[in-house]
Amino acid sequence: MKRQVIFATGLLFSHLSFNAATFDVANGSGPNSLIIDIYGSITLNGYYPTSRNEILRYLDKCSEYGADQLSVNMFDVGAWSDLLAKNDPHCDEMIQFAIEEAHKRGIRFYASIPIFCRSERDENFVEKEGDAVFSRTLNGTLDTHMLSPASPLVQKYRLNIIKDFLKRYAVDGFMLDFIRWGNYAADDQYSVCLSGYDEAVLGRADAIDGTKPAPSDPGMLRARASFVTDFIRKVKSLIEEERPGLPIGVFNSSAVGRLSSYAYVGQDWSQWEEEGLVDEHHPMFLIDSVTRQVRALQTLMNVRKTKSKVFASMFLAEGFDPN
């Protein structure tokens, strides 16, 4: 039985990432069995074409490699992101044109949004709202690398952006990137998220007044994850109101599997599946061990209750060039 595999994001050839391949997970076959098929996907990261001819060239390249899905990061530093932040009408024209031409080629166009990542286009928001958009660590230090999933201001801000995209563009789905708490430890197997010492999180963790539970406290783990899940629920509800049936994809963090991701960045894959919140899982796994990857994938498949698709993602070595 073949399961979908994506070769994944941020690795560019001519400013375009190549993500099209599958392998047989059930039989544990490795990279030699790779084939390009209708499940191919391309992620456009870090650079955005600014002319119609350039857009057509990229879309033709997607078709050439058998891709039927294009995921475009709307927040990366680059022409589209900068122009979107300025509400530039030329940018709207380019995106509309790209979507129309993608559809002519049978390619689905997904808007990828780094939900709790702090990007350059967020700086006006950060300046306006101040420290309230960040989480704190156990010792009270602000974690300014990412926006806090527990902040109502952050959740409202991101939901408004998604709502705007829904009304403005005929996208075929959303990819929720950075749908997690921040964690910058190299060890994603045993590391625990150190952020989340916000009043709202401590309240859900049933912390006794004046005390701060350890980062690995079960109440803290549960509370952190609940805010990430809350946001996905809100996205699901918004889409059901505006564009029923539009798929939601997520990037699953942790190369080890479900339980480490829960502690590492507050992602509760089991709860997402229990509620049917996610249509596509894109685990962000490394290619250092196919065996480890299959085992990590199995931790997701073990809790899969819906008809969600699971993409067995691998990051290739930098400099990979399919040409």
Side-chain angles (χ1 to χ4, degrees):
M1 173 183 176
K2 292 206 170 178
R3 294 203 180 108
Q4 198 165 344
V5 176
I6 295 299
F7 274 76
T9 63
L11 305 177
L12 311 179
F13 66 96
S14 299
H15 307 297
L16 188 66
S17 297
F18 174 66
N19 295 352
T22 65
F23 76 97
D24 192 333
V25 175
N27 294 328
S29 55
N32 290 335
S33 65
L34 297 178
I35 60 172
I36 296 172
D37 69 3
I38 60 170
Y39 293 119
S41 174
I42 299 289
T43 296
L44 187 59
N45 243 2
Y47 177 85
Y48 301 89
T50 56
S51 72
R52 296 192 174 213
N53 285 339
E54 202 174 357
I55 287 173
L56 293 176
R57 181 170 65 85
Y58 279 100
L59 291 175
D60 287 340
K61 181 68 78 171
C62 292
S63 294
E64 180 183 341
Y65 284 102
D68 67 353
Q69 187 167 308
L70 175 65
S71 178
V72 179
N73 187 329
M74 296 293 196
F75 277 61
D76 267 354
V77 176
W80 285 12
S81 177
D82 294 343
L83 295 173
L84 276 171
K86 298 173 184 176
N87 292 315
D88 189 296
H90 175 69
C91 185
D92 268 346
E93 292 174 9
M94 290 297 98
I95 296 176
Q96 298 287 9
F97 177 76
I99 294 173
E100 292 170 5
E101 291 297 323
H103 289 167
K104 289 179 183 177
R105 290 161 175 77
I107 298 172
R108 297 183 298 277
F109 189 105
Y110 278 43
S112 178
I113 300 177
I115 300 301
F116 299 119
C117 177
R118 179 182 179 180
S119 69
E120 287 196 10
R121 70 169 292 178
D122 297 324
E123 289 311 297
N124 288 338
F125 167 71
V126 169
E127 184 177 352
K128 176 184 176 183
E129 304 298 347
D131 293 350
V133 304
F134 299 120
S135 184
R136 293 185 181 274
T137 61
L138 180 60
N139 64 10
T141 303
L142 281 176
D143 179 2
T144 59
H145 292 88
M146 289 179 62
L147 304 177
S148 173
S151 167
L153 295 171
V154 170
Q155 293 215 5
K156 181 179 180 181
Y157 170 64
R158 280 292 189 258
L159 283 170
N160 284 338
I161 290 174
I162 293 174
K163 187 172 185 177
D164 179 59
F165 280 14
L166 279 168
K167 292 183 178 296
R168 199 184 296 195
Y169 308 119
V171 295
D172 300 295
F174 281 95
M175 283 301 305
L176 308 184
D177 197 0
F178 287 88
I179 184 70
R180 61 178 179 82
W181 288 83
N183 193 335
Y184 313 100
D187 185 353
D188 65 352
Q189 183 168 4
Y190 300 108
S191 173
V192 175
C193 178
L194 301 179
S195 300
Y197 286 88
D198 312 357
E199 184 177 343
V201 179
L202 292 171
R204 288 193 186 183
D206 298 325
I208 300 173
D209 290 346
T211 65
K212 293 182 179 179
S216 59
D217 179 85
M220 284 296 292
L221 297 181
R222 182 180 63 253
R224 281 195 207 94
S226 72
F227 284 98
V228 176
T229 301
D230 276 353
F231 184 82
I232 302 176
R233 289 190 189 107
K234 292 173 183 176
V235 174
K236 184 84 169 177
S237 177
L238 176 62
I239 286 176
E240 288 175 352
E241 291 177 8
E242 302 286 342
R243 298 268 303 281
L246 206 67
I248 297 172
V250 296
F251 286 107
N252 309 66
S253 294
S254 176
V256 184
R258 185 181 78 253
L259 296 181
S260 63
S261 179
Y262 181 68
Y264 185 62
V265 289
Q267 290 188 338
D268 192 344
W269 305 352
S270 180
Q271 189 64 35
W272 299 352
E273 280 293 303
E274 188 72 37
E275 297 183 39
L277 298 175
V278 171
D279 302 293
E280 297 180 9
H281 295 272
H282 295 248
M284 301 174 71
F285 297 160
L286 299 172
I287 198 173
D288 64 331
S289 168
V290 172
T291 299
R292 186 175 79 156
Q293 187 216 26
V294 172
R295 288 175 177 169
L297 273 174
Q298 193 60 51
T299 69
L300 174 55
M301 300 306 293
N302 288 343
V303 296
R304 184 170 172 265
K305 296 180 179 296
T306 65
K307 294 181 179 180
S308 60
K309 296 177 182 178
V310 176
F311 293 71
S313 304
M314 297 180 186
F315 285 90
L316 296 178
E318 192 158 2
F320 171 71
D321 185 352
N323 290 317

